Amino acid sequence: MKQWPNSTADRVNADTRESSDSQTPDPGSGLGGSNLSHVRAYNERLVLSLIRTEALSRAEIARRTGLSPQTITLITRSLSTEGLIETGEPVRGKVGQPSVPLKLNPNGAYFLGLKVGRRSAEMILINFKGDVLQHRLEYYAYPTPDCIMEFMTREIPDITRLLGDDDIHRLHGLGIAMPFQLWSWSDTIDAPAAALEQWRDFDFVQALAEVTTLPIFIENDATSACGAELTFGEGHLYPHYAYFFIGYFIGGALVINGSVHAGHTGNAGAFGSLPVMDRQSPGRLVQLIDTASVHLLESDEACRRVLKKDYLDHDSAFWSSGEAAVDNWIDRTSDSLAIAITSVSSVTDVGAIIIDGGFPDAVRQRIVEQTSRALSLLDTKGINLPLVKAGVIGPGARALGAARLPLFSRFLLDQSVLTSAGG
């Protein structure tokens, strides 16, 4: 993830009362908070991260983090005053006072996410829990800086206006998920080279400063989709997994120890570049992006009879139309994915492969099942085959992953800190 220079720094609360009242952390939790005043912000993030998916009492939070009950009371009181957390219904039936669970206030914070795709742009507004409150979608023949800025200039004010005066100060950032080096794909997406070349020197952040003062975060689109699965889907169930997202082009990402591994250039897990054998080109190595991407449907005569956006729309009847092109594409995609998975597994030894994409759930499930079948037919001696399963986010994963960027930058800790939590 790249955080641009205009982003807001983390606040630090110098509460010296927290400097010495610690207790021994639960040895089974794998967590350790700090009571030093200069890391108050870290401890607040730790608490918010713990209760994001599970309401917990103050006593349970103290047990998991090793912070003292007094410190947890101070932190949660502050977070409650800020409107970030709220109390649930008291849990009765045990000895002593009833336990009062704490949970995130869904309206405590808001975030914008933008997906810039090869054929469409998508913008969403999410709340603190990750619920999508607003959604905007626009199709185009190919993306140019002008058309994306026109889309954002129109939609950002409209969405933020819907928040109203009471909540606009709770909007904390804009995340953007987009392919890197868009200018290199002009031939594949049938776009004028000069039009996409504009992206090479386009200063996105400077242009956005004319539209919004929000902090801006930019990440590769497939990496963002993986982040959405990790945070809002079922990725947290697998400490190590490889992720494939099949959109107009196929992309991927790698999760190691519960964290998205971006690599030193932010492009780790670029599985679309993996060499594979293609059933339509026997004996010749091609890249996975050339055998398992949705754009291949455009080359089929039957598919050219429908508008391109019809198959990009995941609710479109096109996917269940019975077109032979869809069946052939699923077969080809699954065969190529099986080969790619053996390569990934031989290097990373991940425990799971998660496959998602911009199409209906039924299509995704077919791909997962046929990929597993194709994988079983390959020579995989010396490889521990991972579980192959479907992602649960679906077509909106890239936009949701984009909105996740400011959420984590401002409030939460990386999943790796929490993977061994749970008491």
Side-chain angles (χ1 to χ4, degrees), residues 116-121 138-151 182-183 185-199 248-249 298 308 312:
V116 177
R118 277 83 170 188
R119 296 297 192 204
S120 66
E138 182 165 304
Y139 293 102
Y140 39 68
Y142 47 84
T144 64
D146 285 346
C147 78
I148 297 300
M149 289 307 304
E150 181 181 347
F151 176 69
L182 264 170
W183 56 85
W185 300 103
S186 57
D187 289 342
T188 308
I189 65 175
D190 194 24
L196 294 191
E197 186 65 26
Q198 298 173 52
W199 285 104
Y248 190 79
F249 289 146
E298 290 182 356
K308 290 178 180 178
L312 292 174

Side-chain angles (χ1 to χ4, degrees), residues 255-328:
V255 170
I256 303 291
N257 292 325
S259 299
V260 177
H261 178 69
H264 75 284
T265 66
N267 207 35
F271 300 138
S273 299
L274 284 172
V276 297
M277 298 292 294
D278 181 24
R279 60 162 56 194
Q280 295 189 10
S281 305
R284 187 168 71 91
L285 283 176
V286 295
Q287 287 193 334
L288 183 65
I289 200 170
D290 298 319
T291 65
S293 299
V294 174
H295 83 87
L296 296 170
L297 290 167
E298 290 182 356
S299 63
D300 186 274
E301 182 178 352
C303 295
R304 284 200 298 268
R305 294 198 296 266
V306 299
L307 291 174
K308 290 178 180 178
K309 74 175 185 179
D310 283 350
Y311 67 78
L312 292 174
D313 179 359
H314 68 278
D315 292 324
S316 170
F318 167 81
W319 291 102
S320 57
S321 63
E323 288 281 4
V326 175
D327 294 336
N328 292 336

Side-chain angles (χ1 to χ4, degrees), residues 128-209:
F128 208 7
K129 292 284 289 182
D131 302 317
V132 177
L133 306 178
Q134 296 289 330
H135 178 264
R136 304 288 190 273
L137 180 65
E138 182 165 304
Y139 293 102
Y140 39 68
Y142 47 84
T144 64
D146 285 346
C147 78
I148 297 300
M149 289 307 304
E150 181 181 347
F151 176 69
M152 300 186 73
T153 301
R154 180 178 68 249
E155 300 300 345
I156 289 179
D158 184 53
I159 289 180
T160 53
R161 192 179 305 115
L162 294 172
L163 282 176
D165 295 337
D166 293 338
D167 289 326
I168 190 63
H169 70 285
R170 297 185 182 277
L171 183 60
H172 290 281
L174 165 65
I176 300 174
M178 62 185 298
F180 290 166
Q181 300 184 357
L182 264 170
W183 56 85
S184 64
W185 300 103
S186 57
D187 289 342
T188 308
I189 65 175
D190 194 24
L196 294 191
E197 186 65 26
Q198 298 173 52
W199 285 104
R200 188 185 296 271
D201 299 315
F202 180 64
D203 190 333
F204 211 165
V205 174
Q206 181 176 337
L208 286 170

Side-chain angles (χ1 to χ4, degrees), residues 315-395:
D315 292 324
S316 170
F318 167 81
W319 291 102
S320 57
S321 63
E323 288 281 4
V326 175
D327 294 336
N328 292 336
W329 176 79
I330 290 175
D331 291 342
R332 188 182 185 190
T333 295
S334 301
D335 286 350
S336 296
L337 275 173
I339 298 173
I341 288 170
T342 60
S343 298
V344 172
S345 300
S346 66
V347 175
T348 62
D349 192 26
V350 292
I353 301 291
I354 298 180
I355 300 172
D356 210 340
F359 29 68
D361 293 348
V363 174
R364 180 168 61 249
Q365 192 57 42
R366 283 182 61 189
I367 292 174
V368 168
E369 291 172 357
Q370 291 188 209
T371 298
S372 297
R373 191 176 305 119
L375 191 59
S376 69
L377 299 176
L378 296 177
D379 183 355
T380 56
K381 290 192 296 290
I383 299 174
N384 294 318
L385 288 180
L387 170 70
V388 180
K389 70 178 301 290
V392 300
I393 305 298

